[in-house]
Amino acid sequence: MSSDRIKVGIFFGGSSREREVSFAGGRTVYDNLDKELFEPVAIFIDEFGNMVSLNWQFIYRGTIRDFYPPVSFLPQSPHEFQIYSESIELSQADRLRMLSEIGEVIEPSTLSNKIDFAFLALHGERGEDGNVQGLLEWYAIPYSGSGILPSALGMNKAVQKDWMTDKGYPGPTYLRLTKEQWAVDPHGFYEKAKAQVGFPLVVKSANQGSSIGVNIVKDSDYKTFSEAVGNSLFEKEIQAEEWNGLDKVQYIRDLSDIRSSLGFPLIMDQQLVYHPEQAVEFLNERLENKASLKLQAVRGEVEVVVESMIAGKEFSCIVVQDESGNVIALPPTEIAKSTEFFDYKSKYLPGLSRKITPIELPDKEIESIRQSCSKLFKDFGFNVYARIDGFYTHEGEIFLNDPNTTSGMMPSSFFFHQAAEIGLNPSQFLTYLIRTSIAERIRTIPSMVMKSKMLQHLDGQLIKDASEKSAKQNVAIIMGGYSTERHISVESGRNIFEKLSSSGKYQPIPVFLTGKDDDHHLYVLPINVMLKDNADDIKAKVEAYHHAPIISKIIQEAASITQKYTETPPVFEPRKISYTDLTSICETVFIALHGRPGEDGQVQKHLDALNLPYNGSDVSSSSTTIDKFKTNNILRENGFLVADGALVQKSSWEANKETVLKEIQLMKFPLIAKPSDEGCSSAVKKLKSTEAFEAYAEATFRGNASITGDQKKTLSIQEKEEFPAKDYFLVEQFIDHEEAQNFLEITGGLLTKYQDGELVYEIFEPSEALAEGEILSLAEKFLAGEGQNITPARFSTDKNLNAHVSEVVRNEFEKVAKCLNVQGYCRIDAFVRIFEDKRVEVVIIEINSLPGMTPATCIYHQAAINGYKPFDFIDEILTFGRQRLRHNLAV
């Protein structure tokens, strides 16, 4: 080792369909590693298994597609299809040249010169199937988790089923089906499944995770069953009649999604089609003369499992080993699904499902689940940790399935969620896993004995770290709230907590806010409550905290772990405090709230009264920018371009609906309707008709009533989508390109600082936001792998014009910020029109004084261009808050 810190290579990305989850999980590990013990090294693996030491600026992009393939390698795409690098046909030499644009290409033989330890955040093929584990053993590099054989066994669901059946584990009736068998006799297998498994049943890909390739078939119908098998094998057939009646671009866009559909490249009519644009042309041409066409993913599936559907409680359990090799099952988590099965979005987007820990069962049954999971862990020969899923049936049986040697490592994953129940924060849990993994490799692999010095070094550093902790600044992070943005607020707050807790400068203290306007309730959160699934779960926990006896038992079992890796004995119960109490627990406050309260100045008023510094704008500016209608009027009066709009009041609507409709019709459709004081795409809808406007108004003004089915259908309100009831809403003219040569939706961030007592603005390069639909969705803003943001924005292919437009836009953003007296930092959303004569128009959409600070939000990409790592960016925000307080007190 070249320094006191162990160099931890974080392996993420990869070739599997779970690469976006891997990328987001790797970023979480990168952020949460204790920076006083470890030096993180990002090892990104592309779709072909090539490795690159990724430039840190790219780690914080929202999706892999935001930076790879690099913009310079992207082929022209009139329909703006989003692609992965396998959709570009390149030689290996050109592929490596493309890869070198995002970092230093690494040959496996040189890995030991760059890293001391490999933390595996990979999923699926070449990640958790033993391949990369074998490679690392070849070069004597210790790695996290299980070894080669258990990894291979933990990957294939079909092999798992046979093995568990032979070992006597109970489970649902199942059948294995290879791709070749299905091709030979599909009808025969359908009859076999009907007779032996019965309906409803589940068809799942044998080698996929994150609920990818999982299909439910409720009724006995060959066509539906055939489509489900095809989906799990990642192949489908399209009829010419169907193609001609489709929105073809949207169909291909959906087809491109590697998580829910086939992805590219595809085999079409025995020809290889790389790019979605090629697919549109190919299908147009071939389906003129053919009745149907078969589409097959190049990276498809070789086998599926068909099993009877289980009725009962679904759960997931993380199982770990302590330093003595004892196996400990952490508290199993019940998955309360909003859909029929725990799909990709339900797993990873806040608020779409609930994780209930521990599972709601008597302690005796919970202990039975834990014992079953621990037994499976031992029987499979797993090492260090694993995630084991299962069902507790209505009949009281425990059916285990899908043991995973690599768990998802996103901030809200079971991985951290359950570790928090024994008192470990993410940084501490990762330290434990690294130390335990090094010891496991030394114990089981003769060539790793030489790594004993590394283990001794880490143990010494842990002792030193515990005894020589430097004084840290206490920062209260206020998260939650009661708006539709509360779940994203919790994600932002947790991310700030994680960035600060892995540093040597700050001691973050999570504080949850709930209640209502003028009656805020504050609670200091222990880590086990902060990492509950979403804001509603946290609220329920703080208002009626209950510590289940089974949790106390598990905490006792894991005491040897927590005593070594926590600085002080863990606290498990939330504590209610007042605003005044904040002065005794912190020196500064980070407001991670979005919408009301937080962005409206309410919280800031309380903090000003206590002389506590905080992030973001002051009371006056915040109370202005929270109101989109008021903000637009101010900007319009000061010469800025904004959308023409009007407030629609409930009182006016109820008094004279026809008059309101006539006024709205004068604005001309399409229109954008949205709450005037909410963000995160909450209830933002494009209205194309009077009927749609009526539905929106009735839904908004419904009071305590529920939204009707007709309103949901008319407004395309999705399952679990929140649509707040309000007394007024904002309706605006839809902004389009008009006569512009280029038209973009962008979002830009900024920082403010004091120089010689004067407030100065640092405006970042804006990002270009690409929406798959007509409006950016919540998922596209915050879910790993959804949407795409190009940073910096591509205003023009002409470099000089691009630089000119960027300067115009940033100058306009600075003027807007000064006009509204925005301070600290903010996000400004806008549309940009670029005309043939090089004239530039910037149409301001909205200003967020406390923008989302989730792990991959655009503002981090933009700050990175200016040299700020996320911690540095947050540090600058906190530093400004302290400087502002001193400045204000001085004047």
Side-chain angles (χ1 to χ4, degrees):
M1 290 173 292
S2 58
S3 70
D4 285 343
R5 295 191 299 167
I6 293 173
K7 292 181 180 177
V8 176
I10 301 161
F11 286 63
F12 62 153
S15 59
S16 82
R17 292 173 181 271
E18 299 174 80
R19 69 187 71 156
E20 292 290 1
V21 175
S22 169
F23 178 66
R27 176 174 54 235
T28 305
V29 175
Y30 187 95
D31 279 341
N32 280 282
L33 283 183
D34 187 328
K35 305 305 185 296
E36 296 183 349
L37 298 173
F38 307 112
E39 179 184 339
V41 180
I43 308 294
F44 177 73
I45 300 179
D46 77 358
E47 295 89 326
F48 296 88
N50 301 306
M51 297 181 186
V52 63
S53 179
L54 189 66
N55 293 342
W56 69 264
Q57 292 92 337
F58 298 121
I59 295 169
Y60 298 99
R61 299 299 172 93
T63 77
I64 294 169
R65 293 169 300 178
D66 286 351
F67 66 91
Y68 193 72
V71 171
S72 59
F73 279 83
L74 286 173
Q76 288 294 316
S77 180
H79 298 108
E80 295 185 334
F81 288 121
Q82 301 170 18
I83 63 168
Y84 290 103
S85 69
E86 62 259 43
S87 288
I88 304 176
E89 192 173 2
L90 294 172
S91 66
Q92 176 65 358
D94 284 340
R95 195 165 293 285
L96 292 177
R97 185 168 59 86
M98 178 171 71
L99 196 62
S100 69
E101 289 203 7
I102 62 172
E104 179 191 352
V105 176
I106 298 175
E107 290 296 327
S109 59
T110 66
L111 273 172
S112 58
N113 299 327
K114 298 184 179 298
I115 63 172
D116 304 310
F117 177 86
F119 196 104
L120 302 180
L122 295 164
H123 295 280
E125 61 176 318
R126 300 186 186 179
E128 54 183 318
D129 58 2
N131 273 289
V132 73
Q133 290 84 355
L135 176 72
L136 292 164
E137 287 192 21
W138 182 268
Y139 292 107
I141 299 171
Y143 56 86
S144 61
S146 287
I148 298 171
L149 181 59
S151 294
L153 185 59
M155 178 68 195
N156 188 295
K157 293 180 177 65
V159 173
Q160 287 173 7
K161 288 287 184 186
D162 287 351
W163 192 91
M164 290 170 67
T165 300
D166 290 344
K167 287 284 186 178
Y169 284 88
T173 304
Y174 73 95
L175 293 171
R176 295 176 61 173
L177 172 68
T178 66
K179 186 175 182 178
E180 290 78 11
Q181 290 170 332
W182 178 249
V184 170
D185 187 15
H187 282 276
F189 185 81
Y190 165 69
E191 294 297 334
K192 185 178 180 180
K194 183 165 64 172
Q196 295 186 22
V197 178
F199 292 86
L201 54 76
V202 180
V203 184
K204 59 175 73 171
S205 306
N207 293 285
Q208 305 295 328
S210 295
S211 299
I212 293 169
V214 177
N215 300 270
I216 293 175
V217 184
K218 293 182 179 179
D219 302 311
S220 177
D221 174 70
Y222 173 73
K223 184 175 182 294
T224 305
F225 180 80
S226 178
E227 287 175 353
V229 172
N231 290 339
S232 294
L233 290 171
F234 301 102
E235 58 184 34
K236 62 173 59 181
E237 189 170 4
I238 183 166
Q239 306 294 323
E241 185 178 352
E242 177 190 4
W243 171 251
N244 292 326
L246 285 170
D247 178 337
K248 297 177 181 180
V249 172
Q250 189 58 48
Y251 177 84
I252 296 298
R253 189 168 280 134
D254 293 340
L255 197 67
S256 303
D257 194 325
I258 59 173
R259 299 151 306 167
S260 60
S261 192
L262 276 58
F264 281 83
L266 287 172
I267 299 171
M268 296 182 172
D269 202 17
Q270 300 183 336
Q271 290 196 30
L272 196 58
V273 176
Y274 281 89
H275 196 280
E277 294 288 357
Q278 286 179 269
V280 177
E281 296 174 9
F282 191 92
L283 289 171
N284 276 334
E285 176 190 327
R286 296 301 171 94
L287 288 176
E288 279 189 5
N289 304 312
K290 291 195 170 192
S292 65
L293 206 63
K294 189 172 185 179
L295 314 178
Q296 295 176 284
V298 169
R299 299 191 177 189
E301 182 59 79
V302 296
E303 187 172 13
V304 301
V305 174
V306 177
E307 65 183 24
S308 56
M309 195 167 175
I310 306 166
K313 291 177 178 286
E314 188 173 358
F315 65 82
S316 188
C317 184
I318 300 293
V319 183
V320 300
Q321 287 176 302
D322 67 15
E323 290 185 9
S324 300
N326 299 314
V327 176
I328 304 167
L330 298 182
T333 299
E334 180 180 347
I335 303 157
K337 306 178 291 292
S338 60
T339 55
E340 285 188 288
F341 71 98
F342 197 40
D343 62 8
Y344 183 90
K345 287 188 178 181
S346 295
K347 280 188 174 182
Y348 301 116
L349 188 62
L352 290 191
S353 63
R354 290 184 63 219
K355 300 182 181 79
I356 304 167
T357 307
I359 185 172
E360 292 184 330
L361 287 170
D363 283 2
K364 182 179 178 182
E365 277 68 27
I366 295 175
E367 185 61 23
S368 294
I369 290 172
R370 294 183 64 234
Q371 293 302 320
S372 295
C373 291
S374 295
K375 182 178 185 300
L376 186 62
F377 184 96
K378 296 173 188 175
D379 286 345
F380 266 66
F382 290 152
N383 315 125
V384 186
Y385 82 96
R387 193 192 85 229
I388 297 170
D389 300 335
F391 288 86
Y392 185 84
T393 72
H394 293 326
E395 294 73 35
E397 289 187 285
I398 298 168
F399 287 175
L400 301 182
N401 68 327
D402 298 351
N404 289 266
T405 53
T406 300
S407 175
M409 295 179 191
M410 292 169 70
S412 60
S413 296
F414 300 113
F415 188 68
F416 298 118
H417 183 85
Q418 292 180 19
E421 292 293 340
I422 60 170
L424 294 178
N425 69 34
S427 182
Q428 294 161 346
F429 191 42
L430 292 174
T431 299
Y432 149 76
L433 288 174
I434 292 171
R435 198 269 175 207
T436 309
S437 294
I438 295 171
E440 182 65 23
R441 300 289 88 82
I442 293 170
R443 186 181 72 82
T444 58
I445 304 171
S447 62
M448 297 282 188
V449 172
M450 64 187 76
K451 303 300 177 182
S452 295
K453 286 186 178 180
M454 184 194 303
L455 190 63
Q456 293 167 8
H457 172 79
L458 179 55
D459 283 342
Q461 289 297 105
L462 283 168
I463 294 169
K464 181 181 177 183
D465 197 41
S467 62
E468 298 183 5
K469 279 288 180 186
S470 58
K472 293 184 177 182
Q473 297 178 37
N474 289 340
V475 180
I477 304 168
I478 302 180
M479 64 185 84
Y482 38 81
S483 75
T484 58
E485 302 175 72
R486 63 195 181 279
H487 301 308
I488 301 302
S489 166
V490 165
E491 291 294 300
S492 290
R494 288 197 283 226
N495 186 46
I496 299 297
F497 175 91
E498 290 167 3
K499 297 287 194 299
L500 298 185
S501 65
S502 63
S503 77
K505 184 173 181 178
Y506 294 104
Q507 181 64 51
I509 300 166
V511 176
F512 184 75
L513 185 150
T514 185
K516 57 186 178 180
D517 287 348
D518 301 322
D519 187 21
H520 298 170
H521 300 169
L522 303 177
Y523 297 85
V524 175
L525 298 180
I527 190 70
N528 59 309
V529 178
M530 187 193 79
L531 288 183
K532 290 299 178 188
D533 200 39
N534 58 50
D536 293 345
D537 283 350
I538 294 174
K539 181 175 185 289
K541 201 72 174 175
V542 299
E543 291 181 343
Y545 182 76
H546 170 68
H547 198 75
I550 190 70
I551 298 290
S552 298
K553 179 179 185 296
I554 299 169
I555 290 170
Q556 186 60 41
E557 289 178 19
S560 65
I561 298 174
T562 53
Q563 286 168 7
K564 181 166 185 172
Y565 295 96
T566 57
E567 298 163 24
T568 56
V571 174
F572 295 97
E573 188 164 353
R575 176 166 60 95
K576 191 171 185 180
I577 62 170
S578 66
Y579 276 107
T580 304
D581 293 330
L582 285 172
T583 59
S584 64
I585 66 171
C586 71
E587 288 85 51
T588 189
V589 173
F590 193 103
I591 308 170
L593 299 163
H594 305 311
R596 295 184 188 271
E599 287 190 82
D600 58 357
Q602 289 187 47
V603 174
Q604 291 85 340
K605 279 183 183 178
H606 290 283
L607 300 179
D608 282 344
L610 299 168
N611 284 332
L612 274 175
Y614 54 84
N615 57 307
S617 292
D618 62 13
V619 174
S620 175
S621 179
S622 298
S623 63
T624 296
T625 56
I626 187 66
D627 187 331
K628 296 181 178 70
F629 183 68
K630 181 180 179 181
T631 299
N632 279 0
N633 285 341
I634 292 172
L635 293 176
R636 187 183 293 106
E637 289 167 4
N638 283 274
F640 296 98
L641 291 177
V642 295
D644 291 332
L647 276 186
V648 180
Q649 301 282 354
K650 182 177 182 179
S651 56
S652 300
W653 179 255
E654 292 178 343
N656 198 330
K657 184 186 300 186
E658 295 305 318
T659 300
V660 174
L661 288 175
K662 286 178 182 177
E663 291 172 353
I664 293 301
Q665 287 163 353
L666 292 174
M667 293 180 67
K668 297 183 181 178
F669 291 98
L671 300 169
I672 294 292
K674 55 188 172 185
S676 193
D677 58 353
E678 300 267 354
C680 296
S681 298
S682 173
V684 179
K685 298 294 179 182
K686 184 178 180 181
L687 308 180
K688 300 179 182 179
S689 66
T690 302
E691 292 72 24
F693 178 85
E694 281 193 81
Y696 191 95
E698 294 292 350
T700 301
F701 300 146
R702 69 188 185 276
N704 295 324
S706 299
I707 297 176
T708 67
D710 286 344
Q711 289 166 356
K712 287 182 179 180
K713 184 177 179 181
T714 301
L715 299 173
S716 299
I717 297 173
Q718 304 301 310
E719 183 69 27
K720 298 290 284 187
E721 178 183 347
E722 293 200 43
F723 196 101
K726 299 279 185 178
D727 289 331
Y728 60 91
F729 65 88
L730 178 59
V731 60
E732 294 179 333
Q733 198 69 55
F734 181 73
I735 305 296
D736 60 20
H737 61 84
E738 293 188 353
E739 303 299 320
Q741 197 172 45
N742 199 8
F743 178 67
L744 297 82
E745 182 174 358
I746 64 167
T747 180
L750 60 83
L751 266 176
T752 65
K753 301 178 181 181
Y754 283 108
Q755 289 183 3
D756 300 323
E758 295 295 320
L759 190 67
V760 297
Y761 289 78
E762 181 179 2
I763 311 297
F764 299 148
E765 285 283 354
S767 302
E768 175 184 352
L770 300 177
E772 293 197 350
E774 294 178 312
I775 296 170
L776 274 175
S777 67
L778 179 70
E780 285 176 313
K781 285 186 175 181
F782 298 108
L783 177 58
E786 292 281 340
Q788 189 173 18
N789 294 284
I790 304 297
T791 309
R794 303 167 296 178
F795 295 113
S796 174
T797 55
D798 182 304
K799 289 185 178 179
N800 292 329
L801 179 58
N802 191 73
H804 167 69
V805 176
S806 173
E807 184 178 6
V808 170
V809 170
R810 286 183 287 119
N811 286 341
E812 196 75 356
F813 279 6
E814 181 172 353
K815 292 174 185 174
V816 166
K818 288 180 175 178
C819 175
L820 298 167
N821 193 29
V822 168
Q823 298 172 9
Y825 68 120
C826 85
R827 193 189 82 226
I828 301 175
D829 296 339
F831 287 105
V832 177
R833 298 189 186 107
I834 304 149
F835 296 90
E836 194 171 356
D837 61 2
K838 299 185 181 180
R839 181 167 51 91
V840 180
E841 289 184 350
V842 182
V843 185
I844 305 299
I845 306 172
E846 63 181 70
I847 291 85
N848 293 105
S849 62
L850 293 176
M853 298 289 275
T854 58
T857 190
C858 285
I859 204 164
Y860 290 131
H861 319 174
Q862 298 156 14
I865 292 176
N866 285 25
Y868 300 107
K869 289 185 176 180
F871 171 79
D872 301 327
F873 179 53
I874 296 164
D875 188 30
E876 288 282 347
I877 292 168
L878 291 170
T879 299
F880 175 80
R882 294 192 295 272
Q883 291 174 342
R884 176 176 55 193
L885 180 61
R886 288 196 296 268
H887 179 270
N888 291 343
L889 291 174
V891 297

